[in-house]
Amino acid sequence: MGIIEKIKEIEAKLARYRAQLLEPTAKSGGAGTGFDVQKSGDARVALIGFPSVGKSTLLSKATHTASEAAAYEFTTLTAIPGVIEYKGARIQLLDLPGIVEGASQGRGRGRQVVSTAKTADLILIMLDATKSEEQKRLLELELDAVGIRLNKTKPDVVFKRKTTGGITFNTTVKLTKTDEKTIRTILAGYKLHNCDIMIREDITTDEFIDVLIGTRKYMPCLYVYNKIDSISLEQVDKLAHEPKTVVISCEMDLNLDYLIDRIWDELSLVKIYTKKRGAQPDLSDPICLRKGATIEDVCNGIHRSLAANFRYGLIWVKYGYLANLANSLHTHRRSAYHIKYKTKTWCLSLQNDC
């Protein structure tokens, strides 16, 4: 074995060991069960940050929910939910206890915090604008250590286990950050000797291990800098131009409306209006679903029993949505669909067997 091959084998082992570090040990008390907060509304947003950055104040201002706020650390000791009502949607906002360095190993109820955060549709990392960027880096490390990948997409890799036939390896792109030998070494380390692999993206070794493990959560994230009234305008301008960033002041009510607008955009919620045959749609009571939702999701949003008896739907969409809609209709194989088009309305008429 040459020097290059030895290096690649060592790199593969290092990547596997890094992945093992992310998994909880028996001494850490397991993965954590999270806080007992029922998920409600059309989406859930989790507030994460170090103690005393203003999470409780933001919850109180945005949702009119009482959450104790004080100048000392660890004021909030459990998850406190509130509801943001915006554009007909109900967005649950969770104020989680402040986490500390080492939270991924269980310090300061850290595993309960991140276990609850994994149930959210969006994470708000709240930061103190008067402190250094070290806060942001440490929080990213803690979340990454428990398998939460912020503002990243799942690697475009197809991995399928087999019982026989060995390893079939194919790529549609040139791999510059890893290679086939390294990947085969990783598979051997995980005792995977029969599988099909199709790689359609230039991934890293660590990203391939994420695919193998299959428990990583890819989540959108907004970085919210609070207390901007205590820093200079030049610093505010610099922070505001960072990607995925919103600057606010909870005490002075600065930019809170814009923050809620950004939350709506990041959640990619879609409003759907139902209508009775021969009547106008009720535009005051939409069904709010995530972008990419199917007709079955719409049925479940109305009532769980509707999907089983669903026959067909009449759909009105805005211009430009027809192609995306048509691609999602086949996901409910039991149903036939009839699509009608109008320019200014977007509503759905459903009919079942009852």
Side-chain angles (χ1 to χ4, degrees):
M1 181 184 293
I3 298 296
I4 300 297
E5 286 75 15
K6 289 181 180 179
I7 291 174
K8 291 185 181 299
E9 184 175 353
I10 292 172
E11 288 177 343
K13 288 181 179 179
L14 283 173
R16 182 159 56 90
Y17 293 151
R18 281 196 297 268
Q20 290 174 358
L21 280 175
L22 303 186
E23 304 304 319
T25 62
K27 293 182 179 179
S28 68
T33 56
F35 295 98
D36 188 17
V37 180
Q38 184 177 357
K39 192 170 185 178
S40 64
D42 302 304
R44 169 179 277 189
V45 178
L47 267 172
I48 291 182
F50 286 115
S52 299
V53 294
K55 301 189 302 298
S56 298
T57 305
L58 176 60
L59 180 76
S60 300
K61 294 286 182 75
T63 68
H64 306 293
T65 300
S67 181
E68 186 179 357
Y72 54 85
E73 295 187 346
F74 299 106
T75 311
T76 302
L77 299 178
T78 186
I80 300 176
V83 176
I84 300 173
E85 296 189 1
Y86 184 73
K87 293 186 176 180
R90 292 173 57 84
I91 302 170
Q92 185 183 52
L93 182 63
L94 275 185
D95 176 18
L96 297 174
I99 65 175
V100 295
E101 190 174 355
S104 58
Q105 303 303 316
R107 288 189 60 197
R109 306 182 77 183
R111 284 203 171 273
Q112 283 181 288
V113 173
V114 295
S115 293
T116 304
K118 280 187 174 182
T119 67
D121 302 298
L122 171 68
I123 287 181
L124 295 187
I125 289 186
M126 200 154 181
L127 302 161
D128 189 333
T130 64
K131 297 186 178 179
S132 68
E133 283 290 292
E134 185 70 4
Q135 267 195 347
K136 178 180 177 181
R137 188 186 70 83
L138 290 174
L139 286 170
E140 288 175 335
L141 286 175
E142 293 296 333
L143 294 176
D144 193 75
V146 292
I148 296 179
R149 304 292 185 253
L150 300 177
N151 295 326
K152 294 180 180 178
T153 57
K154 188 175 181 180
D156 193 359
V157 177
V158 178
F159 170 73
K160 184 178 180 180
R161 296 173 186 262
K162 301 187 299 185
T163 55
T164 59
I167 297 173
T168 303
F169 182 88
N170 292 289
T171 64
T172 60
V173 296
K174 183 179 180 181
L175 299 179
T176 62
K177 304 169 187 175
T178 188
D179 57 26
E180 181 176 350
K181 183 175 179 59
T182 302
I183 289 174
R184 288 182 179 273
T185 302
I186 292 170
L187 291 171
Y190 280 94
K191 298 181 180 180
L192 294 169
H193 306 293
N194 299 283
C195 58
D196 291 331
I197 298 171
M198 170 65 74
I199 300 178
R200 298 181 289 205
E201 180 184 347
D202 188 14
I203 60 170
T204 65
T205 302
D206 290 323
E207 287 174 333
F208 179 73
I209 292 179
D210 282 353
V211 173
L212 286 187
I213 295 174
T215 58
R216 304 302 183 235
K217 187 80 181 283
Y218 298 85
M219 305 182 68
C221 172
L222 275 179
Y223 299 96
V224 182
Y225 285 88
N226 189 27
K227 306 180 183 179
I228 60 170
D229 52 301
S230 301
I231 62 176
S232 66
L233 287 176
E234 290 78 9
Q235 290 174 296
V236 173
D237 185 66
K238 181 180 178 181
L239 290 174
H241 282 84
E242 293 289 326
K244 300 284 185 178
T245 297
V246 179
V247 293
I248 66 169
S249 172
C250 291
E251 289 296 327
M252 300 185 67
D253 291 342
L254 294 177
N255 227 24
L256 298 185
D257 289 341
Y258 175 67
L259 171 60
I260 295 175
D261 286 340
R262 287 292 301 273
I263 290 173
W264 172 269
D265 293 339
E266 291 295 327
L267 287 172
S268 299
L269 290 173
V270 176
K271 293 191 293 184
I272 299 173
Y273 303 94
T274 60
K275 67 182 293 293
K276 295 180 179 179
R277 187 180 296 274
Q280 292 297 315
D282 182 5
L283 301 181
S284 64
D285 187 22
I287 300 171
C288 293
L289 299 170
R290 301 295 300 277
K291 186 177 180 180
T294 66
I295 297 296
E296 186 173 6
D297 295 323
V298 177
C299 292
N300 291 332
I302 299 171
H303 196 278
R304 291 287 181 181
S305 64
L306 182 60
N309 300 319
F310 185 80
R311 288 170 53 200
Y312 68 91
L314 302 177
I315 303 170
W316 287 259
V317 297
K318 289 183 178 180
Y319 179 78
Y321 286 98
L322 271 178
N324 293 332
L325 180 64
N327 289 333
S328 69
L329 292 183
H330 72 279
T331 57
H332 199 293
R333 294 189 297 270
R334 293 170 57 96
S335 307
Y337 300 93
H338 305 277
I339 299 177
K340 291 187 178 180
Y341 170 74
K342 288 187 178 181
T343 57
K344 295 184 179 180
T345 62
W346 182 10
C347 54
L348 174 66
S349 176
L350 300 175
Q351 180 171 329
N352 59 25
D353 289 324
C354 300

